[in-house]
Every structure is written in C-alpha cells, then in structure tokens.
Amino acid sequence: MASIKQQFEIPGKMKMWSMTLIGVGLLALILGFITKGASSDVHEKAVFWGTILYNSIFFLLICNASMFFICATTLAMGGWSTTFRRVPEAISTLVPIFGSVAAILMCYIVLSGKSYIYNWLDPKVVADSVELKGKAGFLSPGLFITWTILSIGLWSLLGMKMRSLSKEADDTNFDSTTGQKFIWRNTVIAGLFIVWFALTVGSVTPWFWLMSIDGAWYSTMYSWYTFASSFVTGMALIGIWVIYLKNKGYLELTNNEHLHDIGKFMFAFSIFWTYLWFDQYMLIWYSNQPEETIYFKDRVQGAYKGIFFLNLIINFICPLLILMKKSAKRNYTLMTFMCVLIIFGHWLDFYQMVMGSVSRGQVSMGWLDFGIMAFYVGLLIFFVGRALASKPLLSRNNPFLKESIIHHT
Amino acid sequence: MHLKYESQLREPLVYGEKTYHQVTEDIIRPIEVKPSKLWYIGFFISVALLTFGVYCIYRDVTYGIGQWNLNKTVGWGWDITNFVWWIGIGHAGTLISAILLLFRQGWRTGVNRAAEAMTIFAVICAGQFPIWHMGRVWLCFFIFPYPNTRGPVWINFNSPLLWDVFAISTYFTVSLLFWYSGLIPDLASVRDRAKTKLRKHLYGIVSFGWTGSTKHWQRHESLSLVLAGLATPLVLSVHTIVSFDFATSVIPGWHTTIFPPYFVAGAIFSGFAMVQSLLLVVRRVYGLQDYITIGHIEAMNKVIVLTGSIVGCAYLTELFMAWYSQNKYEGYAFFYSRANLFSPYGWAYYGMMACNVLSPQIFWFRKMRRNVTVTFFMSVLVNVGMWFERFVIIVTSIYRDYLPSSWSVYYRPTIFELGFYLGTFGLFFTCFFLFSKYFPVIAIAEIKHVLKTSGESYKDNMGKIEVQQPEEFAHEYAH
Amino acid sequence: MAKKKFVVGCFDEEAVLFPAVKKVRTAGYKIHDVYTPYAVHGLDHAIGLRETSLHTAGFIYGMTGTATALGGISWILTYDWPLNFGGKPHFALPAWIPITFELTVLFAAVGMTLTFCYLCQLAPFVKKHHFHPRATDDLFVMVIECTAKTNVDDLQGLLKSSGAVEVDVQVAEEGWWIGRYDKDEMPFENKTAVA
C-alpha cells in the first residue's frame, strides 16, 4: 500500500444524479405549490407545508447527528472511527445549509400564522382551549423563532469549530504534548456541542418544532424519541457514504471491521429507538387518559394504521433480524440495503409524527413527499460530495489514526 | 495475532513494571494472607448491622408491617424507596461489565469484577424489601405463575408488579452467571498457586476444573460477548420495569413517559457512585493503586457527570411538562408538593436537586475528577441524592391523594423501617467483605489481556510506531 | 479412559508463541491444545480450531424463551382463564412485552451458560490433568499428542528451538473425572516436583 488516494474527485455521474434529483425536487415543489400550496383548501395547504416541514426537519437532524457522533466519540476518547472521520465531517457541513432552509421555513410558517400546521398560532383556538391559553407564554412566535435560530446557529458554529480543528491537524505533526493539547481542545468544543445538543435535540427543540403541532398534547419522552430516531438514521447515512467511497476505491484504511461497527451502531440504536417507542406507547396505552391517547388514536386506529405498523416493522423487526448476524454487518450489499431501509424507515417515522397530526384522518403520502425527499437527497449528495472533495479523505495526523487502522472487532 | 499497539496519548491502565506473574501475585495475595485489623472491624460492624436488620425483620414477620409508619395514603414509603435505591445501585456493575465491554472501553478491566459483585449483592438487598413488605411472607409463592389451588385463577400478567418479579429474578440470575463465568479462570489461578490442602480443595471445587484450553477460551469469549449483549438490554429493562411500577398508574408525578430512560440513567448514576465508594476503599486497603488507577477513577467520574446531567435534563423536562400539560393535578404534585421549599417534603426535592444535578457538575473539571477525596465525598453525596429522588417520587406523590380527607399526617419511618434499611447495609457489606477476602477483586485474566498494550512499562515500546507515517504503518501491519 | 503420551512446551511470550505454533504445525504435528492464562485473540485460528457456534445455540434458547412467554401468557389470559384487567382487551400484547423480553433473556443466558459448561466439561468436583500449574499464571503451554510415528526427541528439539522455556514429556489422562485437587502434588510446597 504505497500511496493512499486522499483526494476525492466528484464523479460526473454523481453530479448528474444530484442535479437530476434537485431538479425533480424543484419541479415537485413548484407543482406542489401550484396544486396544493396555493389552493384555497386548507387541508391541501396543510399537506404542502407539512410535507416540506417534516422533510426539512428530518434531513437537518440526521445531518446534525453526524456531528453528534463525532463529538460523542471525541468525549469517549474513541479511536476506531478515525479512518473515516472525514465522512461524518462532510455530512455535518450540511447543518448550516439545511439549517438555514429549515429556519426560514419555520419562521415563515410561524410568522404567517399557519395555524393548520401549529394550531397554537390561531388566537381563536387558543382562546377556546384552557390548555393552550395556559401555555401561551411558551408557545409563542417570539420564543419559537429565538430558540430555532439559537439551536441551528450554535450547532452550525460549534460544528464548524470541530471541523476546523480537524483541518488544522492536517498540517501539524503532533508529539505527545501537542497531541494531548489537540485532544483537549477537541474535548472542550465537543463538550460544548454535546451540552447544547442535550438542551436542544434532547429537550426543547423537538417540543417546538414537532410536538407543538398538537398544541395541547404532551409527552415527556418526545424529544429523546426524536433524538433516537435521528441518530440511528445519522449512523445509516454515515454507513452509506462509507460504502459508497469504498466502492469507488477510496478510504483504503477503512475495512470490514469499521463497517461492522457502524452496523453495530445501527443495530443497537434501532433497538434503542424501539425501546423508547415502546415506553412512550405502552405507558400511554396503559394509563389510557384521553388527553394523552388522542395522539395515538389517529395513528393506531385511524388512517395511519398501516404506516404506524410499517414504521415498527422497518425500524425494529428488520434491523433486529437482519443485522443480528456478524456476517451481515460485514456484507456490503446487505449493509447498503439496511442503510437505505433505515433512512427510509425513519423518514416514514417523521412523516407520521408530523402528518399524522397535520393531515388528521387522511394519509397524504404521495408524489409530493417523494419529490421533496428527492430535493433534499439531491442537495445532500451535492454538498457532501463537495465537502468530501474539499479536504483530504484521511485525517492523517489524528493521534488515534493508527489505533483505527488496526481496529479489530 | 494482532499488533499490540495503543496510542501513547492514552493513560496506562496498569502502572509499574508488571509481568504476567506479577499481576497474578498482586491480585491474589490479599486472598492468601490474613485479613487486616481494619477488615475485621468493618466485617464485625457489618455483621452487627445485619443482625439488627434480622431482628427488625423478625419483628416485621411476627408483629406485622403495622410496626412501620406506612398509613392510609403512604402505602409505599421507605421500603419501596430503598428497594428502588438498591436496584439502581446494582445497575452500574452490569453497565461496566456489559455495556462498556460492547463499547470496548479498556478501563473496565480494572473495575468490572468488583462492580459485578456489587450488583449481585445490591440486587439481593433490593429483593428483601418487596419480599418482607408482603407482610405474610410465607405466602410469597402466590407470585409464581402456576395453576394454583385458589381457584384456577392465574396471576395477573398485565401487572407491572409481576413484571418486576420476572425482571429482578432474571437480572439476578444473569448477573450471577456473567460474574461467575468470568470468575472461573481466576479461581483456577488461585487454585493452581494454593499453598494449603484445604485451599486447593475448595478452590478446586469452585473453579470447575478450568484448564485454560484454547477451545474453552474461545467459547468463554463467545459466552461473555453474548451475555454482555443480553445483559445490556436487560439492565435497561430492569429499571425500566421498576419505573413502570410507577408510570403505568394515573398518579400525578408518577405517570410520565420519560420515566423509563430517566430511571435507567439515574440507576447508572447512583451505581457508579457506589462503585467509586467501594473501590476507593478497596484499592487503598489492598494496595491495588496500580490496577485501579486515577485514570479509572476519572473515567467513572465522567460517567457520573454524564448520567447526572441526563438525570438533571429529565428532572427539568418533567417539571416543565407538569406546567406545559396544564393538568392541575400534575401541577399540584410538582409545584406544590415538590418544587416548593415550604411544603412538607420540599426539603427532599431540593436535596435531590442539589446532590444529583448541581454537585456532580464539579466533575467538568479535570482536577476534581482526579481528586480522590473529592470523589469519595461526591460518591456519598450522589447516593444520598439518589435516595432522595426515590423518596421524592414515592412519598410526595401519594401523601396527598385526590381525596383531601384521607391526606396523611407527616410520614416518617419508625425505628424498624430504619433498622431494616440499616440491615440491608449490613447484608451488603458483609457480602462485600467476604467477597473481597475470598475472591480476586480484579479480573486477572482480563488485566493480562490488556497488559501488553496498556501497561505503563510496555507503552514506551510504542514510540517508534508513533512516529511512523500512516501508509508505512498500515503496510507493516498488513504483513 | 486410556492414558496418552504428550510432549509439552511452555512459552512465556505471546509473540514467541505464535511463530512457534506455525512452525510446529508446518512440521506436520497436530497440536492437542494450548493452555493460556488469558484469552489470546487469534490463537484459536492459529491452531486450527473452527468457530464456536455457541451463540447460535444462545439464539435458539432465546427464541424458546420468547415462544414460552408469548404462548404461555396468551393461552392463559385469552383461553384458559380470561380476566378483565382495567378494561384492556384480553389479548393485551403491549403488557406482555416486558415478561416476554425477560424470559427471552433468561432462557438464552441460562441455556448458553449450561451449554458452555457441558461443552467444556466444567462443573464442581470435576478434575482434569493440568500440564503445567503456571498455565493459569504466566505460561502458554503447548501440548502435542504423540502418535506411534512421533519422534519425541525431534519434537522437543523443535519446541526448544522455537523458544520454549520448558519442554517435557508427560503421560496423562485426556478427559475428566470426579476428583479432588488437594490429592495432587503440591508444586509450591515441593518445587522439585515440577518438571
């Protein structure tokens, strides 16, 4: 192994695909706006904005999960992922981009008072509801927008700092003192990121963005559930990029052992997601209080029944049975399949979280959903490809690189 | 064979110039010499406490649990508080041995054995509370699922209390198997260097005829890995099910969906604190500072600050949701009974917040994490805080129920409730003292496994690897 | 059980052991076993052992547990004696998940551990021949069974040249029997007894 291909060159095919997907997405967006967004039917409007909303939040959160992965690994002094560390770094460059889109979108929804998305935006509804009146201090446009901008701004800023530290290391040869110092600086930023992550994704942000769609409903588990869903998808996203780069002949130092561990993360966090899913569902089912069961009433017994159980099959049964075996986690085809399946499954999860309330009683799944998804996937391919090409693929001076090279499961 | 390399930036896990034999010697020696005076003093205090506990239970059985101060609305008091507290403490052992094994955290090797032992003893202590709380304990077989003679009515499989029976007994069994299967090779080491006939005979029995055969090691590794894989969701499930005891009800302050993961985090939090308390003493008394290093203590303190913060996040979520739900009963439980310093139990809520959420934050500072005195003090504080947490959850939610006329007077325990609790301390420490006298408190075979990569004296050899270019290194490794 | 003759070579370094294993095997000898103080990763493949399928057994035990719990509870609560608990349906699946999970884990763990003990013949009062008492301390003990064709001196020479610190020949029982360890010679009392 004389030389390592360090420079990723964006293949023409990839460029073409990303452009096509973005084009299809834009077309869907325009058509959607004409047929639904500009429609006089409130339900159609709600479907249009709701579809954009859940896609924007979903893709933002799964890209941010990459930075969470980097920071958590840094704090745990994990070395195994160093050989492919540039991949989650590249994915996390999308946080400012998708973040800006999502922030603009949500600010627009809130400021234009689209109460068919967030019912607490309608003063009449609030006046009629004791619960909504009581919490109007929290569910207010001002606080919503402030928190949204703060969340996304700090994720982007701290993520950028982490990435610039990693880039800085490319030109430095560490000895044990400067190496310690480098790790220390990483630890500080990673610590800040994790704390902020806990305060946003781990608590307040999903309450605003997602839970407040049903303004009166509440579940203390909701944010952790959202986190689990987005993190497992984030791992699958990292996995699929690693496999893609391996297939193109890059990442020579990343091997089956690393893929195996990514697979383990996908397996373990699929089960963790199910665990949180079960806790939330079972406790509400068991105590059977109308103010809580209203959320599941539509989903389990109403129109969303099929999607609700499909969600559980794709995100629990499939990973459990398919990823349990060691050989499956080291098999490129199976892993590719599982990554795609998990990303799709949790996209579906976000779909039912949002649309189950926005389009109550009528499943809205259709061309618009896949069109917007194509738009985001196209953007994701385009920008991740660009980010990968902008830096060497190997973080060659990282003090844990050699541990990662000989990583053995 | 795999290249023995580890980044030099990692702290050694074993200090000093150690050989394999030296490791065996250091860890087994305390078993082979007479225990110190301190050991005897501690042991007798534990036995005395245990005796008092046994007396309290004797009273409990002959007189009935009316001797406790449980009353109309506070049907669960110190007993269930202590039950949850002990069960929670047990969780750290499984976390260290199973979850950290899956996450390949090398530092677990120094502390897993003692932590697992602690798990088993803590679960035994925890189990006492529901058993003796039954009052007519001779009827405890009622909980077993069999078509019984009380009419063909089965037990209620839909009850969280029954789930608990299954969870705790499974947890105890699996922890015991995990712990003992890890002990077998080390007990064989004790056997093979025994200097007296009795010792050789007894350790010969308990080491099951272990030889160290490669095939056996291969199976042993597979067994450990699968047991770790099983124990990981199991440990989550146990405290989850304990939390279901509360959360499936419709009692304000108990019914909230975040309870399961938050109970698990709290359990790990308190368990690590207990591991710290025990190991700080053990390493000192047995002179094992080379194996249970400051690095180990620091790593555990990191877990404490992490889990403490998760618990804090959950406390605040819960408090916020009590307001956000705009449910007046939830509001009463949280803003009158708990987060109100002037309510009868307000002190417990603020005690809990101070011990569990605020004080662990000092572990953000490296100096504090590596300070033995601070760590010991904090570990006690955390366990006090976690006791408060369970007390707050149980008592503040039920001392005033929906019917004001049945509101209880101020609940405080009798000497027998207190004595029962102290008795479980006696049981726990008696077991732990015996364990530390007769079993290797550190997993010898696992230390040997990491010795050549993470031993202080072996790390120096890695200097020349450290300066290699990645290509060169990868090339060399491939051949 | 008949006694067999074995050539025993002891090594004190993992780094010496692996090349020695390779050398002995390429010379055509079949390694009976290597006794080590800890789990040496990769040694099982080096001496030509196949992967253990213990975890597959564990999976089957686990599934048995799942089936027992789900089958048992659903039979009891929907057929044998259905009862109304809190207005829930008789087939209250979410409420059965905890016990189902616990029994899955219990069956898998107990079943696997017992299978492990059975396969490795581990039990209280079981006694086996130990080729070297330091195999549980700091020596890697390679044992090669002698056949009619084996030239013992050649083999001993080979072991020595590959870095063995101690080499000897032992005649020993291969399997296990019920016995006491204190009936053994006590190597630490009488150092000369150690070969």
Side-chain angles (χ1 to χ4, degrees):
Chain A
M1 205 181 290
S3 69
I4 292 176
K5 276 181 21 197
Q6 295 213 39
Q7 192 53 48
F8 176 68
E9 280 153 31
I10 305 170
K13 231 177 163 181
M14 184 172 155
K15 239 181 225 163
M16 188 198 76
W17 268 105
S18 62
M19 286 304 160
T20 315
L21 284 169
I22 294 173
V24 169
L26 278 177
L27 194 69
L29 197 66
I30 294 165
L31 277 177
F33 184 75
I34 296 169
T35 59
K36 294 171 192 282
S39 152
S40 57
D41 184 0
V42 176
H43 179 256
E44 290 292 303
K45 277 193 202 176
V47 168
F48 177 72
W49 290 106
T51 307
I52 304 181
L53 179 71
Y54 83 79
N55 275 294
S56 306
I57 295 174
F58 174 71
F59 282 97
L60 168 61
L61 289 183
I62 64 171
C63 292
N64 201 29
S66 274
M67 189 38 75
F68 175 78
F69 173 71
I70 292 175
C71 291
T73 314
T74 306
L75 288 187
M77 298 267 278
W80 69 277
S81 59
T82 314
T83 53
F84 63 90
R85 191 188 144 113
R86 285 284 145 90
V87 176
E89 274 180 24
I91 297 172
S92 71
T93 54
L94 274 165
V95 173
I97 300 165
F98 284 177
S100 315
V101 178
I104 293 168
L105 174 74
M106 281 186 279
C107 290
Y108 174 68
I109 288 177
V110 169
L111 288 175
S112 61
K114 296 203 183 312
S115 59
Y116 42 79
I117 302 287
Y118 297 115
N119 64 355
W120 49 271
L121 288 167
D122 187 348
K124 244 189 18 238
V125 173
V126 174
D128 288 347
S129 153
V130 185
E131 287 87 16
L132 286 180
K133 225 184 325 188
K135 52 185 153 182
F138 179 75
L139 292 180
S140 66
L143 208 56
F144 185 104
I145 291 170
T146 315
W147 192 262
T148 301
I149 292 173
L150 263 178
S151 303
I152 295 171
L154 280 174
W155 296 339
S156 308
L157 200 73
L158 291 166
M160 249 178 253
K161 189 77 197 137
M162 280 304 280
R163 289 193 297 273
S164 76
L165 272 174
S166 165
K167 189 165 170 58
E168 205 182 299
D170 283 346
D171 314 318
T172 334
N173 262 317
F174 295 115
D175 58 28
S176 61
T177 349
T178 50
Q180 286 292 5
K181 212 163 173 186
F182 174 70
I183 293 196
W184 167 247
R185 285 167 65 204
N186 270 294
T187 308
V188 172
I189 307 293
L192 287 173
F193 183 89
I194 295 283
V195 168
W196 184 239
F197 192 85
L199 291 174
T200 52
V201 181
S203 48
V204 184
T205 306
W207 299 340
F208 273 129
W209 292 357
L210 298 168
M211 198 168 85
S212 79
I213 292 172
D214 299 88
W217 184 78
Y218 59 93
S219 165
T220 39
M221 178 72 97
Y222 199 84
S223 298
W224 292 8
Y225 174 83
T226 313
F227 157 71
S229 192
S230 63
F231 181 66
V232 68
T233 321
M235 285 315 295
L237 190 60
I238 295 172
I240 205 156
W241 275 101
V242 168
I243 292 171
Y244 172 76
L245 290 171
K246 282 296 290 178
N247 281 340
K248 287 275 169 241
Y250 297 98
L251 296 180
E252 291 98 327
L253 295 179
T254 305
N255 51 36
N256 275 352
E257 309 288 341
H258 301 90
L259 192 66
H260 187 173
D261 267 7
I262 296 175
K264 278 187 195 165
F265 263 91
M266 283 158 54
F267 176 72
F269 279 86
S270 287
I271 291 173
F272 182 69
W273 171 85
T274 315
Y275 163 68
L276 298 186
W277 179 94
F278 175 74
D279 290 341
Q280 177 167 276
Y281 175 74
M282 196 280 284
L283 287 176
I284 289 174
W285 169 83
Y286 202 106
S287 79
N288 208 15
Q289 301 177 74
E291 62 184 67
E292 291 184 335
T293 50
I294 183 157
Y295 179 81
F296 287 114
K297 175 86 184 149
D298 291 323
R299 288 168 174 80
V300 184
Q301 295 175 344
Y304 286 83
K305 197 174 178 178
I307 288 183
F308 187 81
F309 288 106
L310 186 64
N311 180 19
L312 204 59
I313 292 168
I314 294 184
N315 293 332
F316 172 56
I317 310 277
C318 293
L320 177 77
L321 295 181
I322 298 174
L323 286 179
M324 192 188 279
K325 267 187 86 81
K326 182 178 171 181
S327 55
K329 287 177 283 228
R330 304 168 84 93
N331 179 315
Y332 278 59
T333 320
L334 261 180
M335 276 293 283
T336 313
F337 172 69
M338 281 316 296
C339 288
V340 174
L341 193 70
I342 286 177
I343 295 173
F344 175 72
H346 286 277
W347 177 77
L348 207 61
D349 189 21
F350 271 70
Y351 169 81
Q352 61 87 26
M353 278 156 86
V354 172
M355 300 311 282
S357 302
V358 169
S359 168
R360 212 175 279 276
Q362 189 184 333
V363 179
S364 64
M365 179 68 76
W367 57 270
L368 183 64
D369 297 88
F370 291 99
I372 305 285
M373 185 213 239
F375 178 65
Y376 272 101
V377 172
L379 282 179
L380 198 138
I381 295 174
F382 179 78
F383 283 108
V384 173
R386 228 179 51 162
L388 283 171
S390 73
K391 266 195 266 185
L393 274 179
L394 185 69
S395 170
R396 58 180 303 119
N397 291 325
N398 190 304
F400 292 132
L401 179 66
K402 289 186 187 108
E403 278 185 16
S404 183
I405 293 174
I406 58 166
H407 176 60
H408 189 81
T409 51
Chain B
M1 190 179 85
H2 308 293
L3 191 57
K4 298 259 175 196
Y5 164 79
E6 183 182 272
S7 171
Q8 273 195 306
L9 295 184
R10 293 186 194 278
E11 257 181 285
L13 294 175
V14 180
Y15 278 101
E17 299 263 332
K18 301 286 187 223
T19 60
Y20 290 134
H21 178 69
Q22 191 62 40
V23 173
T24 319
E25 189 70 29
D26 285 349
I27 298 171
I28 297 184
R29 199 187 311 111
I31 301 175
E32 293 172 339
V33 297
K34 273 217 159 56
S36 63
K37 229 184 223 134
L38 257 165
W39 188 91
Y40 278 112
I41 295 171
F43 184 68
F44 282 117
I45 294 175
S46 307
V47 173
L49 279 177
L50 176 60
T51 315
F52 183 54
V54 170
Y55 170 70
C56 291
I57 290 174
Y58 163 76
R59 287 269 314 198
D60 174 29
V61 175
T62 52
Y63 180 87
I65 54 168
Q67 64 168 345
W68 293 351
N69 251 346
L70 297 180
N71 51 40
K72 249 187 302 185
T73 60
V74 185
W76 282 356
W78 268 50
D79 44 3
I80 302 301
T81 301
N82 298 335
F83 159 68
V84 181
W85 187 77
W86 274 120
I87 270 289
I89 282 175
H91 280 51
T94 321
L95 184 103
I96 291 174
S97 53
I99 301 182
L100 297 185
L101 175 75
L102 297 183
F103 276 131
R104 279 191 296 272
Q105 292 286 322
W107 59 271
R108 59 176 277 286
T109 50
V111 294
N112 64 347
R113 172 67 44 73
E116 285 170 41
M118 181 206 74
T119 292
I120 290 162
F121 306 144
V123 175
I124 294 173
C125 290
Q128 303 309 314
F129 290 95
I131 290 175
W132 300 104
H133 188 166
M134 289 177 186
R136 285 179 286 172
V137 71
W138 51 91
L139 297 179
C140 73
F141 61 88
F142 275 30
I143 60 177
F144 295 122
Y146 64 102
N148 51 58
T149 50
R150 309 182 289 281
V153 184
W154 293 80
I155 46 176
N156 180 1
F157 289 97
N158 294 2
S159 161
L161 298 181
L162 188 75
W163 305 345
D164 237 352
V165 174
F166 279 88
I168 307 284
S169 45
T170 302
Y171 186 46
F172 177 72
T173 313
V174 175
S175 302
L176 192 68
L177 293 177
F178 199 12
W179 176 68
Y180 202 80
S181 62
L183 256 174
I184 288 175
D186 289 355
L187 290 173
S189 295
V190 182
R191 171 199 70 201
D192 288 345
R193 47 176 276 136
K195 291 181 190 69
T196 67
K197 277 202 180 294
L198 181 67
R199 188 180 288 277
K200 189 123 193 151
H201 179 49
L202 293 178
Y203 283 100
I205 294 171
V206 295
S207 61
F208 286 16
W210 177 264
T211 55
S213 153
T214 305
K215 187 71 197 173
H216 296 182
W217 273 122
Q218 184 200 40
R219 292 192 185 117
H220 191 266
E221 289 276 282
S222 168
L223 177 73
S224 311
L225 208 61
V226 177
L227 284 184
L230 290 170
T232 302
L234 177 66
V235 71
L236 259 73
S237 84
V238 173
H239 229 62
T240 294
I241 290 173
V242 171
S243 84
F244 286 164
D245 290 346
F246 304 101
T248 49
S249 71
V250 287
I251 291 176
W254 284 10
H255 175 70
T256 181
T257 48
I258 208 172
F259 251 33
Y262 136 47
F263 262 52
V264 173
I268 293 163
F269 179 54
S270 66
F272 265 89
M274 187 57 105
V275 174
Q276 291 280 35
S277 309
L278 290 175
L279 286 183
L280 286 176
V281 176
V282 166
R283 75 195 277 270
R284 182 72 176 272
V285 172
Y286 291 149
L288 294 172
Q289 283 96 335
D290 283 348
Y291 300 95
I292 305 168
T293 66
I294 291 288
H296 288 86
I297 292 168
E298 185 183 7
M300 289 197 276
N301 281 336
K302 284 182 183 167
V303 178
I304 287 181
V305 67
L306 170 72
T307 47
S309 303
I310 293 176
V311 166
C313 184
Y315 288 164
L316 297 178
T317 300
E318 210 182 30
L319 190 66
F320 173 79
M321 282 296 163
W323 172 80
Y324 183 88
S325 72
Q326 292 289 313
N327 176 320
K328 57 186 168 190
Y329 302 106
E330 287 288 332
Y332 186 84
F334 277 93
F335 297 102
Y336 181 78
S337 300
R338 292 184 184 172
N340 168 6
L341 199 52
F342 304 104
S343 73
Y345 294 105
W347 54 271
Y349 187 81
Y350 284 97
M352 158 189 112
M353 278 290 187
C355 295
N356 292 350
V357 184
L358 292 180
S359 61
Q361 305 302 328
I362 64 162
F363 284 146
W364 285 101
F365 302 101
R366 187 178 148 91
K367 257 220 169 87
M368 295 291 132
R369 288 198 300 264
R370 299 177 75 89
N371 183 317
V372 174
T373 322
V374 170
T375 302
F376 189 77
F377 179 71
M378 276 304 305
S379 67
V380 175
L381 206 62
V382 165
N383 269 321
V384 172
M386 284 309 289
W387 190 89
F388 274 136
E389 180 200 295
R390 278 62 178 255
F391 183 79
V392 165
I393 290 171
I394 293 169
V395 175
T396 62
S397 272
I398 53 179
Y399 84 113
R400 290 183 177 178
D401 66 1
Y402 295 108
L403 187 65
S405 64
S406 66
W407 284 4
S408 68
V409 291
Y410 194 74
Y411 164 72
R412 61 168 65 75
T414 61
I415 183 74
F416 300 105
E417 275 166 291
L418 183 69
F420 187 9
Y421 184 41
L422 292 178
T424 53
F425 269 99
L427 179 61
F428 180 79
F429 284 106
T430 305
C431 291
F432 200 83
F433 274 113
L434 290 174
F435 158 74
S436 66
K437 172 68 192 78
Y438 293 106
F439 294 89
V441 290
I442 290 176
I444 305 170
E446 296 195 37
I447 290 286
K448 285 178 187 163
H449 186 71
V450 299
L451 182 67
K452 297 270 162 107
T453 44
S454 312
E456 191 190 14
S457 52
Y458 299 94
K459 292 208 87 170
D460 301 339
N461 306 339
M462 288 163 199
K464 65 173 188 294
I465 299 180
E466 211 62 72
V467 295
Q468 273 178 337
Q469 287 300 308
E471 288 88 357
E472 203 184 330
F473 174 77
H475 182 77
E476 211 164 274
Y477 173 63
H479 294 276
Chain C
M1 272 182 290
K3 290 199 169 188
K4 283 178 180 166
K5 193 166 149 193
F6 298 95
V7 176
V8 181
C10 305
F11 298 82
D12 60 357
E13 272 291 340
E14 211 184 294
V16 183
L17 175 70
F18 273 92
V21 164
K22 213 169 171 184
K23 236 169 156 181
V24 169
R25 287 192 71 197
T26 39
Y29 298 104
K30 192 176 173 301
I31 294 178
H32 171 72
D33 211 337
V34 183
Y35 299 92
T36 58
Y38 60 90
V40 180
H41 283 180
L43 185 60
D44 45 351
H45 297 294
I47 66 172
L49 294 176
R50 66 173 187 85
E51 282 289 349
T52 170
S53 39
L54 194 57
H55 44 266
T56 313
F59 179 76
I60 294 166
Y61 293 130
M63 288 297 105
T64 315
T66 315
T68 308
L70 276 184
I73 301 175
S74 52
W75 175 74
I76 290 165
L77 291 188
T78 63
Y79 180 79
D80 187 48
W81 199 272
L83 278 174
N84 184 336
F85 295 121
K88 293 281 183 281
H90 290 315
F91 192 81
L93 189 61
W96 304 342
I97 299 297
I99 293 181
T100 306
F101 173 77
E102 298 303 328
L103 284 194
T104 306
V105 170
L106 185 69
F107 275 51
V110 173
M112 257 187 92
T113 312
L114 290 180
T115 310
F116 166 74
C117 288
Y118 171 75
L119 290 174
C120 301
Q121 302 105 31
L122 295 174
F125 301 103
V126 159
K127 172 101 178 58
K128 288 170 197 156
H129 177 74
H130 294 262
F131 289 94
H132 201 295
R134 272 167 63 197
T136 54
D137 180 8
D138 60 351
L139 284 187
F140 304 86
V141 182
M142 191 198 294
V143 176
I144 300 141
E145 194 186 320
C146 298
T147 58
K149 286 183 285 184
T150 310
N151 183 332
V152 175
D153 293 331
D154 274 3
L155 182 53
Q156 280 185 313
L158 179 67
L159 286 172
K160 264 195 195 124
S161 69
S162 345
V165 288
E166 284 177 28
V167 175
D168 69 343
V169 179
Q170 294 180 28
V171 176
E173 195 72 63
E174 197 181 12
W176 61 276
W177 62 94
I178 302 292
R180 298 171 62 123
Y181 273 88
D182 58 334
K183 298 287 184 228
D184 269 8
E185 53 202 48
M186 302 288 281
F188 283 87
E189 273 177 354
N190 181 6
K191 287 265 181 198
T192 53
V194 185

